[in-house]
């Protein structure tokens, strides 16, 4: 348990270190929430967004962001974008419905692994991966298997610190329509206090990632299951 006062001290302590970070997937639902937390808490001296397109922000607090637009099919040519970041966050992902089975593996495995490799080569010491509840490289479900495989392969890269987040169904008001997700959310949202292991708000995921960044001396490789993410996310709650 981290009391609020200690959290302020941890933020200040982190600020003093002048660390830099990059975010993959900052245009996505979790990524957006993560970016907001990071910007508001002002804990990095430089924030770089790496993505397939340039993003626009109205808010003035976002004006110092650095953006690198890359072609994920030729990531090796963009190695420079991944150089010199202390911390990396990956909230990248697609679905089989959107990209097909092959496209899904390409994004959730190939792009993610290659990014992690380039980040490691570029000096990144702490890599955060948003994976999924049930991730398991031996699973017969493509989704869970892919998530488990990429976790294991990134672990093999030997980051100084590697944090894996395995959230359950994300509760989010998504711009894009995903009917199955909507139904699941309506149900799980209504019963989230009864089934705390089945869903989680994206804000809690984002906060957990940030609070975990501030914690020094964490384990080399750690897996945060949904419950652990919820608990950490609560600490970061400003209210
Ligand atoms: P979103 O679907 O909201 O965002 C996905 C991000 O990935 C966007 O930034 C998007 O960029 C980028 N992306 C997608 N396809 C490509 C591509 N072909 N090339 C380059 N970039 C691409 O993500 P969520 O926040 O919903 O999910 C984040 C992660 O959490 C995913 O890995 C997901 O599998 C996992 N997860 C999700 C759960 C859920 O309930 N939804 C539950 C547990 C885990 P752009 O804006 O340019 O499209």
């Amino acid at each position: 348990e981290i009391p609020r006062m200690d959290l302020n001290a941890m933020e200040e302590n982190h600020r003093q270190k002048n660390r830099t970070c990059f975010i993959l997937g900052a245009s996505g639902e979790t990524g957006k929430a993560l970016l907001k937390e990071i910007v508001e808490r002002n804990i990095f001296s430089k924030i770089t967004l790496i993505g397939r397109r340039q993003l626009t922000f109205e808010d003035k607090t976002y004006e110092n962001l650095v953006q690198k637009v890359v072609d994920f099919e030729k990531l090796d040519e963009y190695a420079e974008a991944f150089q010199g970041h202390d911390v990396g966050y990956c909230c990248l992902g697609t679905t089989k419905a959107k990209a097909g089975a092959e496209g899904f593996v390409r994004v959730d495995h190939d792009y993610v692994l290659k990014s992690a490799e380039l980040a490691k080569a570029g000096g990144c010491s702490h890599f955060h991966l948003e994976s999924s509840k049930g991730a398991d490289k031996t699973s017969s479900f493509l989704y869970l298997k892919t998530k488990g495989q990429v976790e294991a392969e990134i672990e093999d890269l030997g980051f100084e610190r590697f944090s894996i987040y395995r959230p359950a169904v994300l509760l989010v008001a998504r711009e894009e329509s995903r009917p199955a997700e909507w139904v699941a959310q309506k149900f799980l949202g209504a019963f989230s206090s009864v089934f705390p292991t089945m869903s989680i708000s994206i804000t809690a995921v984002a906060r957990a990632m940030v609070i975990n960044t501030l914690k020094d001396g964490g384990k080399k490789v750690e897996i945060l299951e949904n419950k652990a993410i919820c608990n950490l996310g609560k600490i970061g709650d400003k209210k």
Side-chain angles (χ1 to χ4, degrees):
E1 283 288 301
I2 304 170
R4 163 123 296 276
M5 246 171 62
D6 287 359
L7 183 58
N8 289 337
M10 284 161 77
E11 287 181 358
E12 185 49 35
N13 181 42
H14 195 268
R15 236 168 257 134
Q16 302 289 326
K17 293 180 187 159
N18 268 322
R19 295 225 166 110
T20 58
C21 77
F22 71 85
I23 304 176
L24 288 156
S27 57
E29 297 299 341
T30 316
K32 262 189 273 182
L34 174 67
L35 176 60
K36 185 165 181 282
E37 285 289 322
I38 286 178
V39 168
E40 282 177 0
R41 291 173 194 270
N42 187 28
I43 48 170
F44 287 102
S45 59
K46 188 174 135 198
I47 304 164
T48 303
L49 311 183
I50 304 178
R52 60 171 160 182
R53 60 198 173 89
Q54 185 81 20
L55 307 177
T56 48
F57 301 98
E58 313 267 291
D59 201 320
K60 259 193 140 319
T61 50
Y62 285 68
E63 67 187 4
N64 291 325
L65 296 175
V66 177
Q67 291 198 48
K68 301 275 183 188
V69 176
V70 302
D71 178 352
F72 283 91
E73 287 295 320
K74 301 177 191 154
L75 265 189
D76 276 319
E77 294 175 18
Y78 297 85
E80 181 273 327
F82 293 86
Q83 272 160 18
H85 311 286
D86 300 305
V87 180
Y89 299 94
C90 180
C91 304
L92 211 65
T94 187
T95 59
K96 255 196 328 187
K98 260 210 255 183
E102 227 176 274
F104 163 72
V105 175
R106 231 165 155 67
V107 175
D108 287 59
H109 177 273
D110 301 358
Y111 294 179
V112 170
L113 179 61
K114 190 76 215 175
S115 298
E117 284 171 5
L118 293 172
K120 177 73 177 47
C124 174
S125 54
H126 189 181
F127 193 81
H128 301 256
L129 174 69
E130 183 176 17
S131 179
S132 170
K133 176 179 167 131
D136 174 4
K137 63 181 177 188
T138 67
S139 174
S140 47
F141 293 101
L142 179 73
Y143 179 79
L144 299 176
K145 184 188 163 124
T146 305
K147 296 291 189 191
Q149 271 176 343
V150 81
E151 285 183 0
E153 284 161 346
I154 295 178
E155 179 172 347
D156 287 344
L157 297 177
F159 279 100
E160 233 167 85
R161 222 181 134 191
F162 178 35
S163 304
I164 299 166
Y165 303 83
R166 288 182 176 168
V169 174
L170 301 175
L171 299 174
V172 53
R174 203 182 287 277
E175 281 166 29
E176 155 203 343
S177 147
R178 289 185 189 173
E181 185 181 74
W182 187 86
V183 173
Q185 282 185 11
K186 284 285 166 218
F187 179 78
L188 295 171
F191 293 101
S192 63
S193 53
V194 193
F195 303 118
T197 59
M198 290 174 72
S199 66
I200 188 163
S201 79
I202 43 160
T203 316
V205 179
R207 285 195 183 145
M209 290 176 113
V210 170
I211 307 291
N212 198 28
T213 305
L214 302 175
K215 277 171 53 185
D216 258 337
K219 273 198 279 175
K220 185 172 163 68
V221 179
E222 58 182 353
I223 297 178
L224 288 95
E225 298 289 351
N226 198 63
K227 184 88 200 305
I229 302 173
C230 283
N231 289 340
L232 261 191
K234 266 184 227 149
I235 297 168
D237 215 324
K238 284 192 178 128
K239 272 135 252 153

